[in-house]
Amino acid sequence: MLLFLAWALCCVVAVIARRHVVWATLCLAPLLLLSLIWLDRPAHDPFGFYPWGAIALFAGVAIVVAATSVLGVVRGLLAR
C-alpha cells in the first residue's frame, strides 16, 4: 500500500513539475506489471479464479492516471 501511495505521489509531482515523459513512464510501469500477472494466471480455472489483488491495483492505477491527467490538462489551461 505504501508503494502504491509513493507511486501516486510521484505521478502528481511529475505532472506539477511538467515532466510529461516521466509521468507517462510512471503510468505505464504498473500496467506492464499487471499484464505479466494476468498472462501468468491459469488459462481455465474451474474454481473461478479471479486475481482480486491485480484487479484492485488496476482500478487504483486507473484512478490515479485519470486524476493526474485531468490535473495536467487543468494546469495547462490555467497557464495560458
Side-chain angles (χ1 to χ4, degrees):
M1 182 68 175
L2 289 176
L3 182 63
F4 178 79
L5 293 175
W7 170 81
L9 182 64
C10 288
C11 286
V12 170
V13 169
V15 170
I16 290 173
R18 297 182 196 270
R19 304 280 192 243
H20 302 294
V21 174
V22 173
W23 173 78
T25 305
L26 284 170
C27 291
L28 284 177
L31 297 177
L32 292 174
L33 174 71
L34 285 173
S35 68
L36 293 175
I37 291 171
W38 283 336
L39 288 174
D40 192 36
R41 70 184 179 141
H44 176 42
D45 186 1
F47 301 107
F49 171 75
Y50 294 104
W52 290 113
I55 292 169
L57 180 60
F58 179 80
V61 167
I63 290 169
V64 170
V65 169
T68 54
S69 63
V70 168
L71 176 66
V73 168
V74 169
R75 283 186 52 89
L77 291 174
L78 291 176
R80 287 183 160 191

